[in-house]
Amino acid sequence: CRTGKPAMKRLLGIVHMNPEVDPASWDHTEEDRYGLGGVRTPEKFYELFGIDVVNKKTQGHLCMFVEQGKMHEMFSRRLRSDGMGIDYTGIDFKWKDPKPQQDD
């Protein structure tokens, strides 16, 4: 399929997951229309949830943060007054794997 690689480059570019790729090398047509919006940057999302887009790695054991209700407790305090989700500007959090030597 000839469109596969350009489409993947475009997708990864839009979500800022390929910082090593020159943005001029992929199609930006209608990016504003179909893009991510401006409430939170992709970089903020990746920082919050331990995603390293440069080295293509993630922090493990994120389920510990989610399943125990810690994420809900922390983030729900930052609900936006317009009812449109979380105000991430007030969240200074970076997930770090509490058990980096365990694979489960």
Side-chain angles (χ1 to χ4, degrees), residues 17-50:
M17 286 198 88
N18 57 358
E20 70 280 1
V21 174
D22 179 1
S25 70
W26 52 271
D27 182 6
H28 292 265
T29 304
E30 296 192 281
E31 184 178 353
D32 290 336
R33 182 175 185 179
Y34 297 109
L36 302 176
V39 173
R40 148 193 95 211
T41 65
E43 290 78 10
K44 180 67 171 182
F45 176 84
Y46 302 141
E47 178 182 284
L48 282 168
F49 296 105

Side-chain angles (χ1 to χ4, degrees), residues 47-91:
E47 178 182 284
L48 282 168
F49 296 105
I51 300 168
D52 179 346
V53 298
V54 173
N55 296 302
K56 313 296 186 225
K57 295 183 184 251
T58 61
Q59 294 287 316
H61 299 100
L62 181 62
C63 290
M64 293 175 69
F65 180 55
V66 176
E67 289 174 349
Q68 297 173 359
K70 294 176 184 175
M71 183 177 84
H72 176 78
E73 182 181 318
M74 180 185 294
F75 291 4
S76 64
R77 288 185 242 151
R78 299 293 185 177
L79 288 173
R80 292 171 28 159
S81 60
D82 63 5
M84 297 297 289
I86 307 294
D87 176 5
Y88 289 92
T89 60
I91 297 176

